[in-house]
Amino acid sequence: MATIHPKLSDELSQTVVSSTKSVKIKIKRSNPNVNSEQKFDDFVVPIEKWTTVLDVLLDVKSHLDHSVGVRYSCRQASCGSCGMKINGKPGLACFTKISELDSDTVTVEPMDNYPVVRDLAVNMDRMINNHKKVMPYVIREDSEIDAESGIREFLQSPENVDKYIQFSSCIKCGLCNSACPTMAMDKSFVGPQALAQAYRYIADDRDKGKNKRLKIIDESHGIWRCHFAGSCSQVCPKGVDPAMGIQLLRGYLLGIRD
Amino acid sequence: MERETGAREGLKGWLHPGKIGKFGIERLAWLLMRLTGLGLLAYFIGHIYETSHILDGKAVWDKSLEMTQTTEGHLFLALVIGMCVFHTGNGIRLMIAQMGYGIGKAERPDYPYKPQSINMKGKACIYATLGMAALAMWYGMAVMFA
């Protein structure tokens, strides 16, 4: 057995690993609240074939540099917290194995098109605000629970569920907005995440808020700014396919879809 | 409150060649659509300016026409032909896609989650449009340099 990280302090250098392979990880460091300096710090970390980018980052945090700023939570591609740019492409750190990157060096940077909080953590307020803007909930005048007639449900056929279930898998990780070339230039663009969610609720036959939502997205920085580069769908870790949702959503505004 | 560092990529988000490598032919089509659109707009303005010389008499008009009768002028016009064909062909593809055709059908996604909207039909259309643009440029040059 061998000890790793020879430059560690005595306290931290006790980790013992069986791995014979290692990866060099380059982490983009910045703290805009202090100064505008940006740099890459390199670390060499042992890996196994199942090691993810998040595992490597947590290894760095535990043993090499406590100060690396990274946001994470569930470690299983469910919370959408650990979005970052991995070797130049947006991805979830917990959902990207080092082995599938096919590279001895992995570069991690904060997601594009978001303000950096520190290192790899970005501020997602704008995406969340746009998400709220499209009213991501079922809108109805009547209640699902009716006091007079008792509890009842809004029944829905499996065919109708299939129309939107794909889009309800969104975990708000923000990778789609990071990959979108329109987001790169237009700070007011509502973004693929919110547009896909607008489609999710409009396509839900329990919902009666279609006209309200269409009015919100049918504006100068709304749906018409999407030019179908498809990058949002290519990076989505949950198969939401926002590009498809946006094109289907256009059908309502063009009068092709009811 | 953090500053807006890294808030937007700006033009790098459009033009960085690595983006095309990472995001594929659809991203190249998106970039070419923008560049050809801007190029055709610039050509249109230049064309209006050039043809306005007809009001200044035959001598001035003939002189302005000579600008495109050079090797550089022919290459420029060939580029305009290519931009025009690509922008039209890709524009038709986009209009069809934006009406909801050829982008697949919403359904329950299964791992490994291949996006349906990014499919071979779309890729084939992009390659065909690029091919048509190249063919039109070649034909235009064959006529102009004959």
Side-chain angles (χ1 to χ4, degrees), chain A residues 32 87 113-114 123 234 241, chain B residues 2-3 6-7 22-23 27 117:
Chain A
N87 282 356
N113 306 328
Y114 292 92
N123 184 329
Q234 290 185 349
D241 201 347
Chain B
E2 65 284 343
R3 288 187 289 175
K22 301 283 181 198
F23 296 112
R27 187 71 171 236
S117 63

Side-chain angles (χ1 to χ4, degrees), chain B residues 78-101:
Chain B
L79 188 64
V80 172
I81 292 169
M83 289 196 298
C84 208
V85 171
F86 179 82
H87 202 81
T88 305
N90 195 50
I92 292 169
R93 174 186 76 89
L94 287 174
M95 280 195 283
I96 292 169
Q98 290 177 358
M99 285 191 284
Y101 301 112

Side-chain angles (χ1 to χ4, degrees), chain A residues 53-218:
Chain A
V53 173
L54 183 62
D55 292 334
V56 171
L57 288 168
L58 295 181
D59 200 336
V60 169
K61 271 183 81 70
S62 299
H63 304 111
L64 296 170
D65 187 345
H66 296 310
S67 70
V68 171
V70 56
R71 184 189 291 131
Y72 70 98
S73 182
C74 75
R75 309 185 195 204
Q76 53 182 1
S78 291
C79 71
S81 300
C82 63
M84 61 188 67
K85 218 162 66 168
I86 303 165
N87 282 356
K89 193 171 181 179
L92 290 181
C94 70
F95 202 49
T96 308
K97 284 197 285 188
I98 297 290
S99 56
E100 69 193 33
L101 294 171
D102 201 23
S103 171
D104 292 334
T105 303
V106 175
T107 305
V108 287
E109 300 165 76
M111 285 194 288
D112 291 322
N113 306 328
Y114 292 92
V116 175
V117 177
R118 185 166 66 82
D119 297 342
L120 302 172
V122 295
N123 184 329
M124 304 178 88
D125 284 355
R126 185 177 143 207
M127 185 195 75
I128 299 297
N129 288 339
N130 284 338
H131 178 67
K132 287 179 183 169
K133 200 169 132 185
V134 299
M135 299 188 289
Y137 40 82
V138 171
I139 298 172
R140 284 185 75 109
E141 292 294 320
D142 52 342
S143 167
E144 200 168 3
I145 300 170
D146 189 316
E148 289 180 15
S149 60
I151 297 171
R152 66 185 184 87
E153 294 175 86
F154 297 133
L155 296 178
Q156 201 167 41
S157 67
E159 292 75 30
N160 282 335
V161 174
D162 284 348
K163 288 179 185 169
Y164 69 82
I165 191 76
Q166 171 175 5
F167 303 96
S168 65
S169 301
C170 178
I171 55 172
K172 289 93 187 162
C173 60
L175 298 181
C176 51
N177 284 9
S178 174
C180 174
T182 304
M183 294 294 286
M185 290 294 281
D186 182 357
K187 69 176 180 180
S188 303
F189 179 48
V190 68
Q193 190 277 334
L195 289 171
Q197 292 314 291
Y199 177 75
R200 178 257 174 269
Y201 286 96
I202 289 173
D204 189 330
D205 67 343
R206 296 168 299 177
D207 182 75
K208 304 293 177 196
K210 182 178 86 174
N211 292 337
K212 283 183 188 171
R213 286 196 196 88
L214 291 181
K215 200 173 173 187
I216 291 165
I217 60 170
D218 184 17

